[in-house]
Amino acid sequence: MELPASPMAIEPRGLDRDSLKRDILEWLVYAVGREVHRATRHDWFAATALAVRDRLVDRWMAAQHREEATDGKRVYYLSLEFLVGRLMANALTNLGIYDTCREALGEFGVDLGSVLEVEPDAALGNGGLGRLAACFLDSMATLGIAGTGYGIRYEYGLFEQQFDRGWQVEYPEDWLKFGNPWEFERPEVAYPIDFYGKVEPGEPGPDGRPKPVWRGSQRVLAVAYDTPVVGWGGATVNTLRLWSAKPVREFDLVPFNSGDYLKSVEDKILSETLSRVLYPNDNTPAGQELRLKQEYFFTSASLQDVLRRHRMHHDGYDDLPEKAALQLNDTHPAIAVPELMRLLIDRHRLDWDRAWAITKGCISYTNHTLMPEALETWPVALLERVLPRHLQIIYEINDRFLKSSKVVAKDPSRLSTLSLIQEGWDRRVRMGPLAFLGSHRVNGVSALHTQLMRETVFRDLNEEFPDRITNKTNGITPRRWLVQANPNLSQLIHNMIGSGWEDDLGRLSALAGRTEDSAFREAFWAVKRRNKAFLAHHIGEIADLRVSGDALFDVQVKRIHEYKRQLLNILHAVALWQEMRDTPDAAWTPRVKIFAGKAAPGYAVAKLIIKLANDVSRVINADAEIRDQLKMVFLPNYNVTLAERIIPAADLSEQISTAGMEASGTGNMKFALNGAITIGTLDGANVEIAERVGADNILIFGLTAAEVAAKRAQGYDPGAVIAADPRLARAIAAIEDGTFSPDDPGRFRPITDALRHSDWFLVAADFAAYWDTQARAAALYRDRAEWTRMAIRNTANVGWFSSDRTVQDYAEEIWGVWPPLARAAE
Ligand SMILES: *Cc1c(COP(=O)(O)O)cnc(C)c1O
């Protein structure tokens, strides 16, 4: 791999084994301060990371020189979450020096695998939304798109989950404890961020009207920390810039000199809480003042940074839309709309119309959920107190919009549904519609989700602006989720079709023609079997449970949420166990049910579902009568690293959300790519996965989104469904009679009562179809040749779900940065 020319004063570091070995040793001695014979795994990790980082920096600087010379358009991806996971293996993979590094360390008698294991998992996100942001960074760098990710450098990432007698308990995730070798602190890149105070009329502006000024605010500083993000092949290295809160002054010297030491550091304590911790909510707004301040903090810092960069090379801001695409990952950065207006009008003296044209030209917004309870709104009173100037601007955006609205002109009664302000005793600002109005494009994340967006939450806005909503079906990076997570399958694919598919994943389709090659099928099966043995070993260590790699590995790993219906899967486990006890000698397909996922600490039902899964597991695993034909395990602390271990070992991928409720899913794509067969509803991207792999290679069941809506509208009676299904009735009864909780038979009443009396998530309605489809899965699995054909067709046909494809679509249709200069030059 050759480095692009750049005016570098230093010789780039070599990618060969000897240079790597020499640099690891130098870093070990001179940066870590340790000799070889005394070095621990942490020391080796630190030294290796620094040596690898050098190689990233060479390419990073070259990319920066190239971009500065061309002054092209940049993408700025604003996201409150980046669920990146570990970085070392990814950097080695994308630089193409994984094996070289293993050999270099091997010469010191050090095992690369065990060094990789000490890296903490950077869990600056909750789940799918944060992981999507991380996949997009990888794809932007791979495609040669100049892109920057902006977020918060949380000191504590998503909590660590442990179980105490089956209950989830949360511990702080102190990922920076041993330092972070990948980041560069930039103390000189710091911006003031103001809160509170009030708005007063100031000096008259060019139009003679007094310009508002925001006075009496409290100020903190946002300081940048940069992490290089390398794409496949190493040609482009982009930046993930995370903001950390610092006090404007470390010490307030007046109280310090008068002897009040604690008061003098109070300011420091207050300001740093802003970037202290990630809110552990997934698909539910936290609604806290501190959360609003986090959102504003990172959004304002990022926009100030974008404007500063622009001013270095340009006179004004009218051409900003030709130079900067700002993508909002959900509504968390929606305050960008009034903030960019404020910066352009109050600070840079533009008039409203020019500022509005620039704002809309730059910003676009990705919606991630349709669930009404998950849509962000902020109380007007809170905004007025924390961000008074922004509330004024929001009111003006709203006034101008409602006055010009064609929909309102036609039907004035729709004013209240179109207004940005939700009226009532507790007036609130609707952040989704605010982001919508301030954007030139608004996208959903799967075809079904985008269609439902048009029909439900944004029905009126879509009528007003029929061209604004567009679909961009999510994707995943094949570098992390295949090359790195599944080296066995990657090698097999390489043997069959060579290389090139890693950044052109559609090429996997060449495998589809090989399903009748029995040697290939056997090899494909053997790869899965090896990955399962590896996971079985891990299950033995972590959960102290022996499972057989010959069993069907039936996997549901994702956040615990009622709409994702882990409960449906647990009910299936209970019913299956009961039938196995009825006829233990029948021809059962041995099965291991594997669960993992965190519940938001305040989400009581989700935590009770975890406890139920653990209680059911304990009883089933201890039952000798079913002779190991069913095992069940809930692995603690689901994160990217655990996902990389579990997904390559899955046979069956559980994607069983209530139809219409999962916007896309990306776990579904990772599993299919790794040759698991999906059992799923017609929800989110499952619909498109089914179209691509073909109806015969996926197990679809249950109500459609339209049927779910109709059932809810008609007033559905789960009690009648349960009464008519003896299998379901018996499973629920066992949960209710204390079979799994003899110490507290009433423990699961909140779950079973809701199931019997309301069942909002239609678990009972889909149970029978799910049962039958699980039985089909079990029967199919017994036909190894046929199962493997199906699995191969999954891997072969899901190349479209590469995030390279997704990001290219954004680049062409939303950002206007395609083809990127790096490619055009080729
Ligand atoms: C991919 C991923 C998710 C998203 O999974 P879904 O099944 O789409 O909800 C969540 N967490 C982690 C760690 C992931 O890797």
Side-chain angles (χ1 to χ4, degrees), residues 630-649:
L630 181 61
K631 294 285 174 193
M632 177 160 157
V633 64
F634 201 123
L635 293 172
N637 204 36
Y638 186 55
N639 59 17
V640 172
T641 301
L642 188 56
E644 290 171 21
R645 201 174 312 222
I646 294 175
I647 291 168

Side-chain angles (χ1 to χ4, degrees), residues 127-128 131 481 558 564 638-640 643 665-667 670:
R131 186 54 233 174
W481 296 111
K558 49 181 74 242
K564 292 178 184 275
Y638 186 55
N639 59 17
V640 172
T666 49
K670 301 168 197 166

Side-chain angles (χ1 to χ4, degrees), residues 725-739:
D725 184 341
R727 202 177 269 128
L728 174 60
R730 182 161 75 148
I732 296 172
I735 295 171
E736 285 171 332
D737 72 15
T739 298

